[in-house]
Coordinates of all heavy atoms in Angstrom, one line a residue:
K150 N 33.8 -28.4 25.8 CA 33.0 -27.6 26.6 C 33.2 -28.0 28.1 O 33.4 -27.0 29.0 CB 31.5 -27.8 26.3 CG 30.5 -26.8 26.6 CD 29.3 -27.0 25.8 CE 28.7 -28.4 26.0 NZ 27.4 -28.5 25.4
L154 N 34.4 -25.3 30.9 CA 33.5 -24.9 32.0 C 33.9 -25.3 33.3 O 33.8 -24.5 34.4 CB 32.0 -25.3 31.7 CG 31.4 -24.7 30.6 CD1 30.0 -25.3 30.4 CD2 31.3 -23.1 30.8
R157 N 36.7 -22.9 34.2 CA 36.3 -21.6 34.4 C 35.3 -21.4 35.7 O 35.4 -20.4 36.4 CB 35.5 -21.0 33.2 CG 36.5 -20.6 31.9 CD 35.7 -20.1 30.9 NE 34.8 -19.1 31.4 CZ 33.6 -18.8 31.0 NH1 33.1 -19.5 29.9 NH2 32.8 -17.9 31.4
V578 N 28.6 -32.5 32.6 CA 28.9 -31.1 32.2 C 28.7 -31.0 30.7 O 28.0 -30.0 30.2 CB 30.1 -30.5 32.8 CG1 30.4 -29.0 32.2 CG2 30.1 -30.4 34.2
E579 N 29.1 -31.9 29.9 CA 29.0 -31.9 28.4 C 27.6 -31.8 28.1 O 27.2 -31.1 27.1 CB 29.6 -33.2 27.7 CG 31.0 -33.1 27.3 CD 31.4 -32.0 26.5 OE1 30.8 -31.7 25.6 OE2 32.5 -31.3 26.9
Q580 N 26.7 -32.6 28.9 CA 25.3 -32.7 28.5 C 24.4 -31.7 29.2 O 23.4 -31.6 28.9 CB 24.8 -34.1 28.9 CG 25.1 -35.1 27.8 CD 24.3 -36.4 28.1 OE1 23.5 -36.6 28.9 NE2 24.5 -37.2 27.1
N581 N 24.9 -31.0 30.2 CA 24.2 -30.0 31.1 C 24.9 -28.6 31.2 O 25.4 -28.4 32.1 CB 24.0 -30.7 32.4 CG 23.2 -32.0 32.4 OD1 22.0 -32.0 32.2 ND2 23.9 -33.1 32.5
S582 N 24.7 -27.9 30.0 CA 25.4 -26.6 30.1 C 24.7 -25.8 29.0 O 24.2 -26.3 28.1 CB 26.9 -26.7 30.0 OG 27.1 -27.3 28.7
D583 N 25.0 -24.4 29.0 CA 24.7 -23.5 28.1 C 25.9 -22.5 27.8 O 26.8 -22.6 28.5 CB 23.2 -22.8 28.1 CG 23.3 -22.1 29.5 OD1 24.4 -21.8 30.0 OD2 22.1 -21.6 29.9
D584 N 25.6 -21.4 27.1 CA 26.8 -20.6 26.7 C 27.2 -19.9 28.1 O 28.3 -19.6 28.3 CB 26.3 -19.5 25.8 CG 26.1 -20.1 24.5 OD1 26.7 -21.3 24.3 OD2 25.6 -19.5 23.6
A585 N 26.2 -19.6 29.0 CA 26.7 -19.0 30.2 C 27.3 -19.7 31.3 O 28.0 -19.3 32.3 CB 25.3 -18.4 30.7
G586 N 27.1 -21.1 31.2 CA 27.9 -22.1 32.2 C 27.2 -23.4 32.4 O 26.6 -23.8 31.5
I587 N 27.5 -23.9 33.6 CA 27.1 -25.3 34.0 C 25.7 -25.3 34.5 O 25.3 -24.3 35.2 CB 28.1 -25.7 35.0 CG1 29.5 -25.9 34.6 CG2 27.7 -27.3 35.6 CD1 30.6 -26.2 35.5
I588 N 24.9 -26.3 34.2 CA 23.6 -26.4 34.7 C 23.5 -27.8 35.3 O 23.1 -28.7 34.5 CB 22.5 -26.2 33.7 CG1 22.7 -24.8 32.9 CG2 21.2 -26.1 34.4 CD1 21.8 -24.8 31.8
E645 N 25.5 -17.8 37.1 CA 25.1 -18.6 36.0 C 26.2 -19.6 35.6 O 25.9 -20.7 35.1 CB 24.9 -17.7 34.8 CG 23.6 -16.9 34.8 CD 23.2 -16.1 33.7 OE1 24.1 -15.6 33.1 OE2 22.0 -16.2 33.3
L646 N 27.4 -19.3 35.9 CA 28.5 -20.1 35.5 C 28.7 -21.3 36.4 O 28.9 -22.5 35.9 CB 29.9 -19.3 35.6 CG 31.2 -20.1 35.2 CD1 31.2 -20.5 33.8 CD2 32.3 -18.9 35.6
R669 N 17.6 -21.7 37.0 CA 18.7 -21.7 36.0 C 18.5 -22.6 34.8 O 18.9 -22.3 33.7 CB 20.1 -22.1 36.8 CG 21.3 -22.3 36.0 CD 22.0 -20.9 35.6 NE 23.0 -21.2 34.7 CZ 23.0 -21.4 33.4 NH1 21.9 -21.3 32.8 NH2 24.2 -21.5 32.7
L670 N 17.8 -23.7 35.0 CA 17.6 -24.7 33.9 C 16.7 -24.1 32.9 O 16.9 -24.0 31.7 CB 17.2 -26.0 34.5 CG 16.8 -27.0 33.4 CD1 18.0 -27.5 32.7 CD2 16.1 -28.3 34.2

Side-chain angles (χ1 to χ4, degrees):
K150 200 164 55 173
L154 286 175
R157 282 190 46 217
V578 175
E579 272 307 312
Q580 277 194 356
N581 298 281
S582 60
D583 61 14
D584 290 344
I587 300 171
I588 311 173
E645 288 187 317
L646 178 62
R669 178 69 182 90
L670 178 63

